[in-house]
C-alpha cells in the first residue's frame, strides 16, 4: 500500500522508516518532543515548583517606570558586569529590581553603548541598529514618549520578550508537498544549519506583514506583490529559551520570544534566491527530507518548532502518529511570564 507522504498516514510510515534506519546505523534521532525541548528550554513551574522558584528568584527583574509587572529577567552576572550609572538607574539589590530613569529608552541605549565601548559583553560587539519594543502590562506602546525601545543586540541581556516572523513557503506538486528550505550562511549565527524559508525580527513600529515582505525581499528575492497577496497569517508561536553559543555572544542568556507565523503556497515557477548574506542556498525538499533533517538536528532550534506547527496545521502530524501530540501543541504556545503585545 502506498502512502502520500504529505498525509498523516504517510508521515507515520516515514518516521518509522527513519528510526529503523537510524537504529541500524547506531544514530540517535531526535523525536518531535526533543525538538520542542531544544528550543523551549526554560523550565516550567509545574515540573518542579521548588527548583523553578529558586531559579527565578535568583534573577533580577527589569521594571519600567509606573508599571507594576516586570518586563524581563536579568541574570546576576549581567547585573554585576553591566556599567550602570547610579543617576540613570534605580537598582534594589535586596528586592532584585532594576528600573531605568526617564527617558527610559535613552537610559537603556546609553548604558548598552557604554558596555559596548568598554567591551563588557561579546554580544554587543555587533550593534544591530535595529530597535525592539519593550512591551508593558497594558500592551499599549504607541510611538512617542510611552514607547520604550532598545537595540536588538542588547535584548538578551535584559531578557525581554522579542517578536519576529517566520514563513514556510511550499509547493504542491504531482509528487506531493515540497518545502523551500534555506541553509544559513556559515559566517552567521547558527551557521550552516537549515532555516525556515523566510524569517526575521519585527522592529519597533513595524507590522508583521511589513516585516515578512521586507525579509522575503532581503533573504529570498521574493517580490513584494507576491508575498502581500499569497502569504497567509497562521497565528503565533511562543517559547522561552536559554541561548546557546551558536546564537553568538554569551551563553545562557534568556530569550522569551513570540513569532508570527505565515504560510505561502507558490507555483513551481517561483524559486527563492539568496539576496543578502544570510542564506547560502535554497533547496526544494519533500516532507520526508524535511522530517529526516529535523530528526538529525540539522535545523536551527526555533525553526524546528515552526515546521512542527506547519505539519500540525496541514494534517501531516496528528494525534494518530505522534504520541506527544497534545503536549507539543501546548508547548508551541507557551504563556510567557511577561506582558506581551496586544497588537502589532
Amino acid at each position: 500500500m502506498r502512502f502520500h507522504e504529505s498525509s498523516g498516514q504517510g508521515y507515520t510510515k516515514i518516521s518509522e522508516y527513519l528510526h529503523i534506519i537510524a537504529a541500524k546505523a547506531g544514530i540517535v534521532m531526535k523525536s518531535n518532543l526533543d525538538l520542542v525541548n531544544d528550543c523551549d528550554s526554560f523550565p516550567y513551574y509545574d515540573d518542579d515548583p521548588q527548583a523553578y522558584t529558586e531559579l527565578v528568584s535568583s534573577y533580577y527583574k527589569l521594571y519600567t517606570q509606573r508599571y507594576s509587572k516586570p518586563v524581563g529577567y536579568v541574570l546576576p552576572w549581567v547585573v554585576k558586569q553591566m556599567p550602570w550609572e547610579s543617576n540613570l538607574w534605580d537598582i534594589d539589590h535586596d528586592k532584585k529590581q532594576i528600573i531605568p530613569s526617564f527617558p527610559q529608552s535613552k537610559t537603556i541605549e546609553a548604558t548598552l553603548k557604554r558596555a559596548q565601548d568598554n567591551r563588557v559583553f561579546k554580544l554587543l560587539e555587533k550593534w544591530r541598529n535595529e530597535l525592539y519594543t519593550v512591551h508593558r502590562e497594558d500592551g499599549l506602546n504607541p510611538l512617542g514618549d510611552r514607547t520604550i525601545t532598545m537595540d536588538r543586540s542588547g535584548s538578551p541581556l535584559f531578557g525581554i520578550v522579542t517578536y519576529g516572523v517566520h514563513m514556510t513557503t511550499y509547493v504542491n506538486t504531482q509528487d506531493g508537498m515540497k518545502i523551500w528550505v534555506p541553509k544559513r550562511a556559515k559566517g552567521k549565527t547558527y551557521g550552516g544549519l537549515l532555516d525556515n524559508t523566510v524569517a526575521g525580527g519585527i522592529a519597533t513600529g513595524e507590522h508583521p506583514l511589513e516585516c515578512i515582505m521586507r525579509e522575503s525581499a532581503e533573504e529570498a528575492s521574493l517580490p513584494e506583490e507576491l508575498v502581500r497577496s499569497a502569504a497567509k497569517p497562521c497565528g503565533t508561536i511562543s517559547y522561552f529559551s536559554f541561548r546557546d553559543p551558536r546564537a553568538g555572544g554569551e551563553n545562557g542568556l534568556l530569550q522569551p520570544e513570540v513569532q508570527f507565523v505565515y504560510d505561502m503556497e507558490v507555483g513551481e515557477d517561483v524559486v527563492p534566491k539568496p539576496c543578502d548574506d544570510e542564506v547560502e542556498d535554497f533547496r526544494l525538499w519533500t516532507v520526508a527530507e524535511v522530517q529526516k533533517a529535523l530528526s538529525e538536528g540539522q535545523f536551527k532550534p526555533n525553526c524546528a518548532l515552526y515546521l512542527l506547527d506547519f505539519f500540525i496545521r496541514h494534517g501531516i502530524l496528528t494525534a494518530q502518529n505522534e504520541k506527544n501530540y497534545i503536549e507539543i501543541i501546548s508547548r508551541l504556545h507557551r504563556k510567557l511570564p511577561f506582558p506581551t503585545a496586544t497588537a502589532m
Side-chain angles (χ1 to χ4, degrees):
M1 181 177 182
R2 295 184 63 189
F3 295 94
H4 197 285
E5 71 170 23
S6 60
S7 70
Q9 195 176 30
Y11 187 96
T12 304
K13 292 298 179 181
I14 292 167
S15 181
E16 291 175 353
Y17 174 76
L18 290 174
H19 279 84
I20 290 171
I21 296 299
K24 290 181 177 179
I27 300 171
V28 177
M29 298 182 70
K30 292 179 180 291
S31 69
N32 291 324
L33 188 56
D34 289 336
L35 296 172
V36 174
N37 289 332
D38 286 347
C39 180
D40 187 40
S41 51
F42 195 83
Y44 281 76
Y45 175 84
D46 290 341
D47 290 341
D48 190 333
Q50 182 178 348
Y52 179 92
T53 301
E54 290 176 357
L55 178 68
V56 172
S57 64
S58 71
Y59 299 149
Y60 282 70
K61 280 72 176 176
L62 174 67
Y63 289 85
T64 60
Q65 295 282 350
R66 300 174 183 169
Y67 288 84
S68 61
K69 294 181 180 178
V71 295
Y73 290 151
V74 187
L75 298 179
W77 63 264
V78 173
V79 175
K80 184 176 181 180
Q81 295 182 34
M82 187 72 74
W84 313 103
E85 293 183 80
S86 58
N87 61 320
L88 296 181
W89 294 87
D90 180 5
I91 301 179
D92 187 324
H93 292 286
D94 293 326
K95 295 181 178 179
K96 294 188 175 178
Q97 296 179 358
I98 302 172
I99 306 173
S101 64
F102 288 113
Q104 297 178 88
S105 297
K106 290 187 176 180
T107 292
I108 295 169
E109 179 184 15
T111 302
L112 288 175
K113 280 289 190 181
R114 189 178 180 200
Q116 183 192 44
D117 292 343
N118 294 334
R119 299 182 178 181
V120 177
F121 302 107
K122 185 179 180 181
L123 187 70
L124 299 180
E125 289 178 0
K126 182 181 179 182
W127 192 262
R128 302 295 291 267
N129 289 312
E130 182 179 347
L131 294 179
Y132 276 179
T133 300
V134 181
H135 290 273
R136 294 174 283 180
E137 63 187 275
D138 58 8
L140 299 176
N141 280 289
L143 292 179
D145 290 341
R146 295 188 65 204
T147 300
I148 301 175
T149 62
M150 69 174 66
D151 191 82
R152 175 177 178 171
S153 61
S155 59
L157 295 170
F158 288 96
I160 64 165
V161 179
T162 57
Y163 297 78
V165 293
H166 279 249
M167 183 168 74
T168 301
T169 301
Y170 65 100
V171 184
N172 278 316
T173 74
Q174 290 184 340
D175 299 323
M177 177 187 288
K178 294 185 178 182
I179 299 171
W180 280 108
V181 177
K183 183 177 181 180
R184 295 175 65 83
K186 288 186 172 61
K188 296 296 179 179
T189 58
Y190 295 98
L193 293 184
L194 302 176
D195 208 327
N196 294 123
T197 315
V198 173
I202 300 175
T204 296
E206 189 174 39
H207 187 276
L209 181 58
E210 295 173 342
C211 182
I212 204 67
M213 289 191 296
R214 173 175 58 81
E215 294 289 352
S216 294
E218 292 176 359
E219 295 183 353
S221 305
L222 294 171
E224 178 181 325
E225 320 83 71
L226 171 65
V227 179
R228 185 183 294 277
S229 62
K232 306 300 181 186
C234 300
T236 62
I237 285 177
S238 52
Y239 49 85
F240 198 163
S241 299
F242 289 106
R243 286 169 62 94
D244 69 40
R246 297 172 298 175
E250 286 71 16
N251 192 31
L253 293 173
L254 306 178
Q255 192 151 19
E257 292 194 305
V258 175
Q259 302 284 354
F260 289 79
V261 180
Y262 288 82
D263 288 355
M264 188 168 74
E265 181 178 359
V266 297
E268 295 183 62
D269 58 322
V270 175
V271 180
K273 298 180 180 66
C275 183
D276 57 17
D277 60 353
E278 295 286 335
V279 172
E280 199 172 279
D281 60 50
F282 287 87
R283 61 282 310 270
L284 187 60
W285 275 2
T286 64
V287 170
E289 290 172 318
V290 172
Q291 166 64 4
K292 180 175 183 292
L294 282 168
S295 66
E296 293 173 349
Q298 293 187 42
F299 276 86
K300 183 171 175 270
N302 67 338
C303 296
L305 270 60
Y306 307 107
L307 286 166
L308 293 179
D309 177 69
F310 179 86
F311 290 157
I312 290 167
R313 290 185 286 99
H314 287 263
I316 298 169
L317 186 63
T318 69
Q320 284 67 47
N321 59 36
E322 173 51 67
K323 64 180 181 179
N324 297 305
Y325 184 74
I326 294 175
E327 181 177 357
I328 288 171
I329 292 177
S330 175
R331 296 278 298 280
L332 294 177
H333 304 92
R334 179 171 186 154
K335 181 174 175 57
L336 299 173
F338 310 114
T340 51
T342 56
M344 297 292 285

